[in-house]
Amino acid sequence: MATFLDFEKPIAELDARVRELRDTAAAGELNIDSEIDKLQAKSQKLLRETYGKLSPWQKTQVARHPERPHFKDYIAGLIDEFVPLSGDRAFGEDQAIIGGLGKLGGRKIVLIGHEKGDDTASRLRHNFGMAKPEGYRKAIRLMRLADRFGLPVVTLVDTPGAFPGVQAEERGQAEAIARSTEVCLGLSVPLVAAIVGEGGSGGAIALAAANRVLMLEHSVYAVISPEGCASILWRTAEKAADAAEAMRVTAGDLKELGVIDRIVPEPLGGAHRAQAEAVASLGAAIGEELDGLAMLSASEIRAQRRAKFLAIA
């Protein structure tokens, strides 16, 4: 892993020392295997202690980690025979939201989710996961397609929020988000949503009004970013850590509040340290939820979803 967060500096220093010793040992100059083992054990202990007591703001930083698995990684690790479907049939294609047909564990599904990108070029292409109206209208089109053919829908949410630009407002951003949320709530097929990174504002709920809402352990989910909340309340984004604490953005808080249904554990040190393991863990959890929902009729699926969100309100 190349990127360390600010609170991980002691861990980064130990790991750097381990790499130096390994280079020395590889050169055949000294036999220092025991010293390397001690430092590795110390690094693992420190990692476990650090991630065992993360603050909400630190969890926000982990949720935004650039090496965290993205939508394309979940497709590669979980989905067979993925066929992307593009465009909203009204304006154009929005690559901040990707969707298509595929198989999860042999089960045919419609998969929809945000893609942030993992380098400068792809982040610009995907607009950092901030969708415009055509992205949500594409999601609506795919969900209605799933409903027509009786396919369960899985959504993966990872966005700081819907794109706030003038052109998005001109094309009906608020209406598109509201319609997408409405379609989620009205589906007669199972809908399972997973917050895999950031779940920001209406840009997230538009894909997450689901029968079952899962969150990866170090993801966050809120109506506004901590920086945005701090700017409103204290007129400075420097109070973001205080805002994150007050907003209760973590998976543990949201499970306690009844906003989400299940927390999916991440590998030690976060999903960015063991992407394949994190992807497989989420895939297994989604499969279990779909198995449970498969036993419900269309009317029961709609009623369960409606009751769930009315209870929150």
Side-chain angles (χ1 to χ4, degrees):
M1 189 189 65
T3 306
F4 286 89
L5 301 170
D6 288 344
F7 64 86
E8 294 179 312
K9 285 181 179 177
I11 301 167
E13 292 170 0
L14 277 174
D15 285 354
R17 181 60 180 154
V18 168
R19 285 194 297 273
E20 290 173 4
L21 290 177
R22 280 178 175 164
D23 289 343
T24 301
E29 298 175 9
L30 295 169
N31 185 357
I32 49 176
D33 290 347
S34 61
E35 184 65 24
I36 292 173
D37 291 342
K38 288 178 184 178
L39 280 177
Q40 282 183 315
K42 187 176 180 180
S43 176
Q44 286 294 103
K45 182 174 182 290
L46 183 58
L47 185 65
R48 188 173 292 104
E49 291 172 350
T50 300
Y51 272 78
K53 55 182 182 181
L54 292 180
S55 69
W57 177 238
Q58 289 171 331
K59 281 186 177 284
T60 302
Q61 293 175 281
V62 176
R64 295 170 175 172
H65 198 287
E67 293 164 21
R68 199 169 175 83
H70 293 277
F71 187 81
K72 64 179 180 60
D73 300 310
Y74 289 102
I75 291 175
L78 296 176
I79 307 301
D80 296 320
E81 302 177 23
F82 182 71
V83 179
L85 299 175
S86 302
D88 66 345
R89 300 299 188 267
F91 180 82
E93 165 66 350
D94 182 359
Q95 294 195 55
I97 290 180
I98 298 174
L101 304 166
K103 290 183 179 179
L104 174 64
R107 176 190 281 112
K108 294 179 181 179
I109 66 166
V110 169
L111 180 69
I112 307 168
H114 299 95
E115 174 59 67
K116 284 183 170 180
D118 53 11
D119 57 30
T120 301
S122 64
R123 285 170 189 147
L124 290 172
R125 184 169 65 254
H126 295 291
N127 201 32
F128 301 87
M130 296 186 293
K132 298 172 184 175
E134 49 271 24
Y136 295 107
R137 290 178 180 134
K138 174 170 66 177
I140 290 169
R141 184 171 73 85
L142 297 186
M143 286 189 282
R144 286 176 173 163
L145 183 71
D147 213 19
R148 188 180 310 145
F149 291 102
L151 301 174
V153 179
V154 175
T155 62
L156 304 181
V157 176
D158 187 12
T159 179
F163 183 62
V166 172
Q167 64 268 47
E169 296 299 327
E170 289 174 341
R171 296 198 292 273
Q173 184 72 290
E175 184 269 347
I177 289 172
R179 292 290 183 194
S180 184
T181 307
E182 179 186 37
V183 170
C184 284
L185 292 171
L187 288 175
S188 59
V189 295
L191 171 56
V192 175
I195 316 299
V196 298
E198 288 183 276
S201 192
I205 193 65
L207 298 184
N211 293 94
R212 300 288 291 174
V213 181
L214 285 57
M215 274 185 79
L216 286 183
E217 181 183 359
H218 300 308
S219 294
V220 293
Y221 192 21
V223 298
I224 192 172
S225 69
E227 296 94 330
C229 179
S231 295
I232 293 170
L233 295 180
W234 292 288
R235 301 291 189 269
T236 173
E238 293 179 3
K239 290 279 192 176
D242 295 327
E245 187 76 39
M247 290 164 63
R248 302 188 69 181
V249 300
T250 68
D253 287 331
L254 295 167
K255 178 71 166 62
E256 183 181 334
L257 292 168
V259 175
I260 68 164
D261 303 293
R262 177 172 178 173
I263 300 172
V264 180
E266 295 187 26
L268 178 63
H272 54 281
R273 279 188 164 81
Q275 286 196 6
E277 183 180 342
V279 168
S281 180
L282 181 65
I286 291 172
E288 290 171 8
E289 299 297 345
L290 289 174
D291 286 341
L293 293 169
M295 297 183 289
L296 303 179
S297 67
S299 59
E300 288 172 331
I301 286 169
R302 284 193 297 267
Q304 187 270 348
R305 197 185 296 123
R306 177 181 174 83
K308 169 186 171 61
F309 285 95
L310 285 175
I312 295 173

